[in-house]
Amino acid sequence: MLQSLKSLKIFLLLAVLTLWALPPAPAASASEHGKARPAKTAILLVTFGTSVPQAQKVFGLIETAVRKAYPGVEVRWAYTAKFIRDKLAKKGQKLLSPAQALALLMAQGYTQTAVQSLHVIPGAEYNDLLRVVRGFKGMSDHFRLMAGRPLCSTTDDLKAVVAALASQPPKERKDSQAVVYMGHGTHHPAGVVYPALDYMLQSKDPLTFLGTVEGYPTLEDVKAELLARDVKEAYLLPFMTVAGDHAHNDMAGDEAGSWKTVLTKAGVKCIPVMKAITENPKIVAIWLDHLRVVMAHFK
Ligand code: CO
């Protein structure tokens, strides 16, 4: 009796080990009917989103560049900001979240999707996106997913951004006029991108500065720099994917706390320029480079 209990134990242990060591299910090439499934590729462009129609048009520039680079590939959009999706839904515009867009692509039989982040930094929104991508990756062997990095992900990215921004201020800018970029800023650790970029911009052009609305460097930091260099005039530009709410209100608005108001009070004449970084083809080219890395895996 004792002996048979022992052998039963060994048998169960072996059974468990055998199951555990079984090879995984066949790879993505075979469908449930044993036929190879032809690759069906999509590109999902993911942005925070905007409800400003003019700013939405700017997204069209990116889409055109992506379609030109990948003719015949399905290109779709997802907005990460729920309040913007809700706002647009009231106007009859149906924008999907990344999870909704991926679920649809999966249901429609797409076999591989490049999820290109159009975020500026690898901050909270990008990390939320990665979690969604990881979740969908676990759902099927027939739905390959890869995420493309945001704009400012590496030191090389920052160098490319600084080079691209050379053509961002208006051509009529005089040497004595400063250029102040307004970034979003964040509490997320990736917020270190902003002071790094500010340093690199100033190294190239001592009168170019980058501040943030919600992080570091602050408007007060930028103001101190402008005053220390005796700047009398400055162009204000958003360092954001769209010239939306922050650009119109926090940067160029007439209310008490806006950058224009604060700097004007400090003796710096401000010339706001409503030009998003997305309107700069060299910036778009950096996102396209990041997308290319992903698409190379899908060949
Ligand atoms: Co904001």
Side-chain angles (χ1 to χ4, degrees), residues 275-297:
K275 183 183 175 186
I277 54 172
T278 316
E279 292 173 57
N280 184 328
K282 287 178 182 160
I283 293 282
V284 174
I286 300 170
W287 273 307
L288 275 172
D289 273 346
H290 293 178
L291 175 60
R292 198 167 296 127
V293 172
V294 174
M295 292 299 275
H297 284 83

Side-chain angles (χ1 to χ4, degrees), residues 244-265:
D245 197 54
H246 284 302
H248 283 91
N249 298 312
D250 298 301
M251 189 185 87
D254 292 322
E255 52 273 26
S258 84
W259 288 33
K260 190 179 88 176
T261 303
V262 170
L263 294 178
T264 304
K265 263 192 189 159

Side-chain angles (χ1 to χ4, degrees), residues 19-117:
L19 280 175
W20 179 67
L22 274 178
S29 59
S31 76
E32 59 267 50
H33 298 297
K35 278 188 217 142
R37 194 184 283 197
K40 203 174 161 191
T41 310
I43 294 169
L44 183 64
L45 300 173
V46 182
T47 171
F48 177 77
T50 181
S51 58
V52 178
Q54 190 55 38
Q56 259 189 322
K57 273 187 204 160
V58 173
F59 288 157
L61 301 174
I62 301 181
E63 189 176 322
T64 303
V66 170
R67 286 190 191 280
K68 202 176 155 203
Y70 301 100
V73 174
E74 179 72 9
V75 180
R76 297 192 188 176
W77 285 87
Y79 281 15
T80 53
K82 186 183 180 300
F83 77 96
I84 289 177
R85 292 198 309 269
D86 291 347
K87 209 168 160 183
L88 290 171
K90 280 181 196 146
K91 291 196 236 166
Q93 280 186 43
K94 180 107 182 93
L95 266 303
L96 302 181
S97 72
Q100 289 171 322
L102 288 175
L104 193 60
L105 286 164
M106 199 175 169
Q108 290 171 339
Y110 283 86
T111 59
Q112 45 192 21
T113 299
V115 182
Q116 180 56 52
S117 153

Side-chain angles (χ1 to χ4, degrees), residues 65-253:
V66 170
R67 286 190 191 280
K68 202 176 155 203
Y70 301 100
V73 174
E74 179 72 9
V75 180
R76 297 192 188 176
W77 285 87
Y79 281 15
T80 53
K82 186 183 180 300
F83 77 96
I84 289 177
R85 292 198 309 269
D86 291 347
K87 209 168 160 183
L88 290 171
K90 280 181 196 146
K91 291 196 236 166
Q93 280 186 43
K94 180 107 182 93
L95 266 303
L96 302 181
S97 72
Q100 289 171 322
L102 288 175
L104 193 60
L105 286 164
M106 199 175 169
Q108 290 171 339
Y110 283 86
T111 59
Q112 45 192 21
T113 299
V115 182
Q116 180 56 52
S117 153
L118 298 178
H119 298 107
V120 175
I121 62 161
E125 304 233 353
Y126 177 62
N127 280 282
D128 286 348
L129 177 63
L130 289 184
R131 292 179 74 175
V132 172
V133 167
R134 276 197 294 270
F136 273 88
K137 268 183 174 177
M139 281 189 226
S140 170
D141 287 334
H142 309 294
F143 191 52
R144 291 182 72 199
L145 281 179
M146 253 187 99
R149 289 183 283 109
L151 183 69
C152 299
S153 295
T154 64
T155 305
D156 282 342
D157 288 343
L158 295 187
K159 286 179 186 169
V161 166
V162 170
L165 290 181
S167 60
Q168 195 73 356
K171 285 192 182 69
E172 57 269 26
R173 178 197 169 197
K174 297 184 202 86
D175 287 347
S176 62
Q177 293 172 315
V179 176
V180 174
Y181 289 104
M182 187 188 75
H184 195 279
T186 175
H187 58 277
H188 189 275
V192 290
V193 161
Y194 295 106
L197 195 56
D198 180 42
Y199 170 81
M200 289 165 80
L201 285 166
Q202 282 186 55
S203 304
K204 201 175 174 220
D205 173 350
L207 285 189
T208 299
F209 307 90
L210 175 79
T212 64
V213 190
E214 291 174 19
Y216 176 80
T218 63
L219 170 60
E220 286 306 310
D221 296 324
V222 173
K223 187 174 100 179
E225 293 272 7
L226 292 172
L227 297 181
R229 284 168 212 198
D230 208 23
V231 168
K232 300 284 179 233
E233 261 186 305
Y235 285 100
L236 304 183
L237 289 98
F239 182 71
M240 294 185 181
T241 49
V242 293
D245 197 54
H246 284 302
H248 283 91
N249 298 312
D250 298 301
M251 189 185 87

